Amino acid sequence: VFSIFLLSLILFNYKSNSATIMTQQTEITSSMLRLESQNIDAYFGELDRYSLLLRQISSFMNILNSRVVMDYHDTSTISNLLASQFDNRNDLLSYRIYLTRKDPDFAITKRKHMVQNLYHVKASALPFYDSFTAKPDFMHMVPSPAPGTLCTYYRTIIRIEDQHPLAIIELTVDDSYLSSLAGNYVEDGE
């Protein structure tokens, strides 16, 4: 009788403790997932703010708003701004600027760390053009199927008065941020 009593007491403690531990583990995992979700939201919010940095540079906006054909000084100014902006982030694979009313367009990539001038590229021919030039957001993000690439982020820089597109910013981002998050969970099933 004593053995049965002792065995039932051990079994009862085991079940109540395992249920408590499971509940605590579920709560901890849920709160960690919420934090990771907030971190991902913050990352994309930061990317969104970054896509608008050129908008705050008056020399860039003056070139975009000018109706005069771009000269060497204008091209050099945009090239220098693009190069300096590209160097501000480690997760960019490419950064492109498509001007809607002028030539050339500009691109810099991680592989060829040099600003290139692109001719005969129409911003209106870009995929999802209607999405990232639409009100109210003037942005669009496309997941990338390429290995090592997270997404391509499009942002339209507009003239505030009439909301006419002046330039399209295209950022291709690598998956280093999500890989670092996944590195926190190394065991299968976590």
Side-chain angles (χ1 to χ4, degrees), residues 116-155:
Q116 299 173 314
N117 295 340
L118 307 173
Y119 292 90
H120 310 298
V121 178
K122 293 285 184 199
S124 59
L126 291 171
F128 310 104
Y129 179 81
D130 292 336
S131 297
F132 57 77
T133 56
K135 298 176 186 178
D137 297 328
F138 296 102
M139 58 80 62
H140 187 73
M141 186 171 20
V142 181
S144 177
T149 306
L150 176 63
C151 68
T152 301
Y153 187 90
Y154 296 96
R155 163 64 73 183

Side-chain angles (χ1 to χ4, degrees), residues 74-90:
D74 295 340
T75 304
S76 177
T77 299
I78 292 177
S79 294
N80 290 337
L81 287 171
L82 180 60
S84 67
Q85 290 296 315
F86 184 77
D87 290 336
N88 285 340
R89 288 187 71 105
N90 295 329

Side-chain angles (χ1 to χ4, degrees), residues 2 13 22 29 34 37 48 51 67 72 82 88 96 99 103 131 135 169:
F2 180 72
N13 282 338
M22 185 63 81
T29 302
R34 274 192 300 281
S37 176
D48 187 52
S51 71
R67 299 207 184 269
Y72 176 77
L82 180 60
N88 285 340
R96 298 176 193 271
L99 305 179
D103 276 332
S131 297
K135 298 176 186 178
I169 304 294

Side-chain angles (χ1 to χ4, degrees), residues 13-81:
N13 282 338
Y14 171 77
K15 286 200 177 248
S16 65
N17 284 342
S18 65
T20 303
I21 290 171
M22 185 63 81
T23 303
Q24 289 174 346
Q25 189 63 35
T26 303
E27 288 172 2
I28 290 170
T29 302
S30 295
S31 66
M32 287 179 62
L33 285 174
R34 274 192 300 281
L35 288 174
E36 296 295 11
S37 176
Q38 290 171 355
N39 288 341
I40 290 171
D41 288 344
Y43 175 79
F44 285 114
E46 178 187 324
L47 187 63
D48 187 52
R49 285 184 295 281
Y50 176 79
S51 71
L52 288 170
L53 284 178
L54 287 177
R55 177 118 187 55
Q56 299 170 5
I57 299 172
S58 60
S59 59
F60 178 73
M61 292 307 295
N62 289 339
I63 293 168
L64 292 185
N65 283 312
S66 170
R67 299 207 184 269
V68 180
V69 175
M70 285 183 22
D71 60 10
Y72 176 77
H73 179 265
D74 295 340
T75 304
S76 177
T77 299
I78 292 177
S79 294
N80 290 337
L81 287 171

